[in-house]
Amino acid sequence: MPKQTFLNLKEYKKKLITDAFLREFSVKTFDEASLTDVVKSLGIAKGSIYQYFDNKLDLFMYLIQECTTVKMKYVGLVKRQNYSDYWMFFKALYEHGFQFDNENPLHSHFLHNLVNNLNSPSVKDLYDEMMKQTISAFEEMAKNEIKSGHFRDDISYKTMGFILYKMGIAIQEQLEFSGVINPKESIQKKRPVYYDKKETLIQLIEEHIQLLRLAFDK
Amino acid sequence: MPKQTFLNLKEYKKKLITDAFLREFSVKTFDEASLTDVVKSLGIAKGSIYQYFDNKLDLFMYLIQECTTVKMKYVGLVKRQNYSDYWMFFKALYEHGFQFDNENPLHSHFLHNLVNNLNSPSVKDLYDEMMKQTISAFEEMAKNEIKSGHFRDDISYKTMGFILYKMGIAIQEQLEFSGVINPKESIQKKRPVYYDKKETLIQLIEEHIQLLRLAFDK
DNA sequence: TATATTTGTGACTGATAAGTCACAACAATG
DNA sequence: CATTGTTGTGACTTATCAGTCACAAATATA
């Protein structure tokens, strides 16, 4: 996490630096990303970065924390108990996520590109830990849906949780694969990931739900 | 693809070299893998590799081709028309895949680790192309199942195909995530990926089928 | 055996990038 | 204004690796 020196910086400078690195890590994997390039574009010395952060990984973890904190302000509002079933809840998560994307394109792009780092050797452990937590959360949700009688009870909650987890990722990947969204281009044009594509996104989510609810619901 | 020089090599030497690189690329991503290390372990000169292959990527593509050719000898035998429904066919693919794994551990490990290269910058294009073809194949299968009345017809074949594609990957990932298989360890002990785990594998496949067939079947 | 062709070699090049450090500039304090 | 602490600097160090090339060894051919 950042050193005191970084926290002491004036807000505008902190933002300048944060944004520049978000931009770099939104387009490249951890190992590809070059601090040397970013400081050049920022017009500051390489050494300065090491006054602010312990090392590259420390900087990267700061960016993750920063972005998830911001995203949580949006999706954290969505509570299961406010929705009639898991699927409405799931859809609402995406709707709030869309708003996050719209209002914080850079943060959104960074998180979107995070999956590209999943096998970058230097951050594999970090990523595995994050994945573990996310999957646990989905398993917990599945468990609750089974207990409350919403989901069938003849399939292990672990398999259900894992597939729900994969479902979220699959939607994002399918949109990218089919060319509906194009992160590399969007970030260059300073646009959100899902700019102009809300309808398509919602439609695809609904199709996935329509397909999978028959598999999960009791 | 390999130069004539490589093809002229005696079988045992070809195998020695192929195996050494399979081992390296089974454990590391493309960019991590070090030709320098492998030639050292082989006791041959770096230059020799460049007598055999154009460059690192050329060598890598040869390994992919080699492994898929061998795997095809197993799963290529499995034909949809010999099974009553898609799910029995799907299960049979895994059963033959298991046999491939058992009889060609090194090749199997290499293919297994291939997914870890999906975002290695240097092979992204190659990987995207492979993925495109695989997904197309699944889309085609979904299309046929819809046409023949096995799958429901109110969901686009593209979404169905994409999820079927993801299903195969998810099973592999879930086994790894839950610690049932441990490729890094297996390869060190010169064991197949799914050594001793056939029952668990089949069980998990059946659970996924049991869950998803309700979503897909008409 | 002499010549030509193919295969093997490993020191070297060039490129890249994270992280360091001695020093300079700036800011705060008394 | 002088002293002390904080922040900024960028050339330099260290390490890595893919790919090259002039030369050597081995093999085939005549």
Side-chain angles (χ1 to χ4, degrees), chain B residues 8 13 45 47-48 51-52:
Chain B
N8 290 344
K13 196 164 186 190
S48 298
Q51 305 263 29
Y52 306 147

Side-chain angles (χ1 to χ4, degrees), chain A residues 96-161:
Chain A
H96 284 71
F98 180 84
Q99 205 189 330
F100 158 73
D101 176 57
N102 231 324
E103 294 171 12
N104 313 269
L106 219 44
H107 291 66
S108 178
H109 269 109
F110 175 82
L111 290 179
H112 193 91
N113 192 54
L114 208 51
V115 297
N116 287 345
N117 279 300
L118 86 179
N119 290 304
S120 280
S122 326
V123 289
K124 186 103 177 63
D125 289 346
L126 178 65
Y127 195 90
D128 281 355
E129 190 48 46
M130 285 171 55
M131 186 170 126
K132 218 162 147 181
Q133 287 186 11
T134 311
I135 293 175
S136 289
F138 274 102
E139 287 177 349
E140 212 49 44
M141 284 193 268
K143 215 191 257 178
N144 286 331
E145 298 295 333
I146 295 169
K147 210 191 302 175
S148 64
H150 287 88
F151 281 1
R152 57 200 281 196
D153 56 10
D154 60 333
I155 304 280
S156 77
Y157 72 90
K158 280 187 179 281
T159 293
M160 283 182 148

